[in-house]
């Protein structure tokens, strides 16, 4: 038994997951420290505005991925393995098309953001904070693209090194802002959304200047974008990412400028922080799923994936049983209600942890993004309609029940289609 455990730990996948998990948790520690610091120097209502604006930036950065994450993880690993001549063409094409499409949406946001904030988000933030949020979206998009490309190439150490060094510099910059008494919603968004990604790119260009140069010199070939696969997953990811934030957005709509929005925003940030561990595991598993050919390999990867995903599932359970005084220690009693909200959110996300297995199979092995689209659309409808009913009735404790229902339905749909596709594969 001990030999099996040691053999499992020594696997290249396990090593990569350890590296990626450590790197992601260093990032988690930085995020937690930022929250720990900011809740002590910002009013709950200001922190609520910050949570909503950063939430908008993060959602748009994920939405404007345009499905390129799936394309990169699905097609880049086999290209690298075979040393395909189109590697740099593929990377250049993905970047150019993604940037071009994103620029259109970001321009529209730049024009209409003040009006949208007035009628829907209702943060009351000044125009310059809204525009900094808008520009930060493009920087997040580029950073995500670079991290995905490095991860698909199994360069997990470099990706996490650049990310956490940028976090360290962001921390130092925030302290400078504190001493200069320049801490505002706008300066924090600038630090997270523009300065951090800019530092990441400078380090990447400095160390990988040969590869960056080859990508810049490569031609753009339209077919490398794979519109059918990419755009289907793009639409699917839009529904999921919007669903992930609709609870906070609708809370902002029903309880404009209320401290409850700040409490919930902080609780959501804690949950998203734990979710980073899921991302660190699926990033490593994705290239493996893209190479599966037989039923035996499917069963093997599902077993491995289940064992690895038990780690974040246990973290959510630990979070549920964490004493309230731990939350007070980190976030002060000023945010006391955050503890109860976080615990109520932690249990539904245990279900989400294991949804990733059928999704990895459907997206990277059998390449059926349409199934992901159907599942995410159903999840979005459940969360949106459910929150419209639950928030006015139960306040901040309504969304967790709705999210649990949505994840349960999504898991059932994913498993049904996975079994169907599994039976089509030869033994």
């Amino acid at each position: 038994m001990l030999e099996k455990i040691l053999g499992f730990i020594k696997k290249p996948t396990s090593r990569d997951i350890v590296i990626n998990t450590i790197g992601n948790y260093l990032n988690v520690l930085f995020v937690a420290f930022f929250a720990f610091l900011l809740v002590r120097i910002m009013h709950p209502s200001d922190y609520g505005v910050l949570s909503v604006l950063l939430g908008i930036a993060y959602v748009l950065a994920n939405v404007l991925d345009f499905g390129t994450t799936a394309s990169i993880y699905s097609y880049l690993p086999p290209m690298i393995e075979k040393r395909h001549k189109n590697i740099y063409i593929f990377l250049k094409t993905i970047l150019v098309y993604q940037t071009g499409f994103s620029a259109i949406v970001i321009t529209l946001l730049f024009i209409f953001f003040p009006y949208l904030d007035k009628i829907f988000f209702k943060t009351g933030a000044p125009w310059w904070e809204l525009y900094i949020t808008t520009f930060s979206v493009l920087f997040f998009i580029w950073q995500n693209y670079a991290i995905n490309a490095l991860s698909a190439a199994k360069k997990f150490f470099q990706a996490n090194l650049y990310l956490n060094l940028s976090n360290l510099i962001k921390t130092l910059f925030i302290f400078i802002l504190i001493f200069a008494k320049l801490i505002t919603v706008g300066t924090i968004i600038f630090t997270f959304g523009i300065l951090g990604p800019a530092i990441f790119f400078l380090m990447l260009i400095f160390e990988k200047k040969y590869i960056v140069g080859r990508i810049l010199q490569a031609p753009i070939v339209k077919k490398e974008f794979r519109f059918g696969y990419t755009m289907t997953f793009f639409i699917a990811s839009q529904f999921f990412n919007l669903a992930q934030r609709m609870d906070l957005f609708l809370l902002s709509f029903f309880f404009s400028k209320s401290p409850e929005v700040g409490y919930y925003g902080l609780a959501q940030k804690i949950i998203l922080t734990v979710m980073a561990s899921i991302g660190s595991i699926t990033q490593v598993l994705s290239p493996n799923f893209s190479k599966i050919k037989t039923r035996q390999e499917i069963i093997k990867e599902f077993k491995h994936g289940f064992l690895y995903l038990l780690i974040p599932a246990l973290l959510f359970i630990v979070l549920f049983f964490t004493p309230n005084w731990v939350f007070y220690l980190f976030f002060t009693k000023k945010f006391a209600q955050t503890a109860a909200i976080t615990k109520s959110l932690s249990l539904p996300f245990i279900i989400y942890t294991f949804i990733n297995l059928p999704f990895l199979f459907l997206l990277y092995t059998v390449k059926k993004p349409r199934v992901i689209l159907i599942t995410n659309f159903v999840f979005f409808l459940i969360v949106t309609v459910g929150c419209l009913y639950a928030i006015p009735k139960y306040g901040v404790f309504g969304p967790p029940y709705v999210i649990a229902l949505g994840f349960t339905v999504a898991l059932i749909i994913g498993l049904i289609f996975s079994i169907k596709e599994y039976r089509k594969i030869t033994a």
Side-chain angles (χ1 to χ4, degrees):
M1 183 65 179
L2 181 60
E3 289 181 1
K4 287 185 178 180
I5 294 172
L6 290 174
F8 184 74
I9 293 172
K10 290 178 181 179
K11 287 178 179 291
T13 300
S14 299
R15 182 198 62 220
D16 289 338
I17 285 176
V18 168
I19 292 171
N20 208 33
T21 301
I22 290 173
N24 272 280
Y25 271 108
L26 280 174
N27 185 51
V28 164
L29 287 174
F30 275 109
V31 172
F33 177 73
F34 292 144
F36 173 84
L37 193 63
L38 294 176
V39 297
R40 281 164 168 73
I41 56 180
M42 298 182 75
H43 189 274
S45 60
D46 290 332
Y47 192 83
V49 172
L50 177 65
S51 297
V52 171
L53 292 182
L54 281 178
I56 292 167
Y58 292 145
V59 165
L60 277 176
N62 285 313
V63 166
L64 297 181
D65 173 83
F66 288 109
T68 57
T69 295
S71 245
I72 289 170
Y73 282 110
S74 189
Y75 294 102
L76 185 59
M79 283 184 176
I80 293 172
E81 188 176 40
K82 297 176 183 178
R83 297 185 178 181
H84 201 284
K85 62 180 181 180
N86 283 355
I87 290 176
Y88 299 113
I89 296 173
F90 172 76
L91 290 171
K92 172 76 171 286
T93 302
I94 291 287
L95 178 61
V96 170
Y97 272 96
Q98 185 182 12
T99 301
F101 292 145
S102 300
I104 296 170
V105 177
I106 290 169
T107 301
L108 291 173
L109 179 65
F110 186 87
I111 296 169
F112 294 108
F113 204 174
Y115 178 71
L116 288 172
D117 186 68
K118 184 178 179 180
I119 65 170
F120 185 75
F121 300 112
K122 299 181 180 179
T123 65
W127 63 269
W128 66 275
E129 290 181 356
L130 299 178
Y131 290 149
I132 288 176
T133 303
T134 303
F135 285 119
S136 71
V137 173
L138 190 58
F139 283 80
F140 281 133
I141 289 169
W142 288 336
Q143 180 175 278
N144 290 343
Y145 162 84
I147 290 172
N148 287 328
L150 287 168
S151 298
K154 296 190 175 183
K155 302 295 183 181
F156 298 106
F157 178 78
Q158 288 93 331
N160 286 288
L161 177 65
Y162 303 150
L163 184 61
N164 285 293
L165 283 175
S166 72
N167 281 333
L168 180 61
I169 295 171
K170 282 191 294 186
T171 304
L172 296 174
F173 188 72
I174 287 175
F175 277 115
I176 292 172
L177 292 176
I178 291 172
F179 286 119
K181 296 182 179 180
L182 294 174
I183 290 290
T184 64
V185 172
T187 56
I188 295 301
I189 293 173
F190 170 81
T191 304
F192 289 167
I194 296 177
L195 179 64
I199 293 166
F200 180 95
F201 286 119
L202 286 174
M203 290 185 286
L204 176 63
I205 292 169
F206 179 77
E207 187 173 342
K208 304 288 183 182
K209 51 182 174 288
Y210 170 75
I211 294 175
V212 172
R214 291 290 297 272
I215 292 172
L216 293 175
Q217 292 171 9
I220 300 167
V221 179
K222 184 180 178 180
K223 69 176 183 178
E224 291 293 341
F225 192 71
R226 294 172 172 84
F227 277 91
Y229 179 90
T230 304
M231 297 307 289
T232 302
F233 183 71
F234 156 62
I235 299 169
S237 63
Q238 282 193 67
F239 284 121
F240 182 75
N241 290 315
L242 282 171
Q244 272 194 303
R245 297 285 183 171
M246 280 306 296
D247 49 351
L248 182 63
F249 293 160
L250 288 172
L251 279 167
S252 178
F253 176 77
F254 284 111
F255 301 99
S256 177
K257 298 291 285 184
S258 171
E260 278 77 11
V261 181
Y263 302 147
Y264 194 92
L266 181 56
Q268 191 179 67
K269 190 177 292 293
I270 295 168
I271 294 295
L272 292 173
T273 297
V274 178
M275 282 178 66
S277 64
I278 301 174
S280 69
I281 293 170
T282 56
Q283 277 179 328
V284 178
L285 294 177
S286 296
N288 296 340
F289 271 86
S290 69
K291 300 174 185 177
I292 289 175
K293 301 295 181 183
T294 66
R295 287 187 179 182
Q296 291 79 5
E297 290 174 328
I298 294 168
I299 294 169
K300 178 183 175 183
E301 290 302 329
F302 263 79
K303 285 181 178 178
H304 288 172
F306 180 80
L307 289 173
Y308 291 128
L309 288 170
L310 280 174
I311 299 169
L314 290 172
L315 288 174
F316 282 121
I317 294 172
V318 170
L319 189 61
F320 179 79
F321 288 105
T322 301
N324 287 349
W325 65 263
V326 176
F327 289 91
Y328 302 157
L329 177 65
F330 280 93
F331 307 114
T332 74
K333 287 190 176 181
K334 183 170 64 174
F335 286 80
Q337 199 173 359
T338 294
I341 298 171
T342 303
K343 291 179 181 182
S344 66
L345 282 170
S346 62
L347 295 181
F349 279 87
I350 295 173
I351 305 170
Y352 166 75
T353 302
F354 296 107
I355 291 176
N356 284 275
L357 281 175
F359 274 28
L360 286 169
F361 171 70
L362 291 166
L363 188 60
Y364 299 122
T365 304
V366 298
K367 294 178 172 56
K368 293 293 178 71
R370 288 184 182 179
V371 180
I372 312 297
L373 173 58
I374 293 168
T375 307
N376 288 351
F377 178 68
V378 172
F379 178 66
F380 171 77
L381 282 180
I382 291 172
V383 171
T384 303
V385 175
C387 283
L388 284 170
Y389 167 79
I391 289 174
K393 192 170 183 179
Y394 303 106
V396 292
F397 294 101
Y401 294 102
V402 178
I403 293 168
L405 175 62
F407 281 147
T408 301
V409 173
L411 179 60
I412 292 170
I413 295 173
L415 288 174
I416 290 171
F417 278 98
S418 292
I419 293 168
K420 182 180 177 182
E421 294 297 330
Y422 172 80
R423 288 173 178 170
K424 294 180 182 177
I425 297 174
T426 55

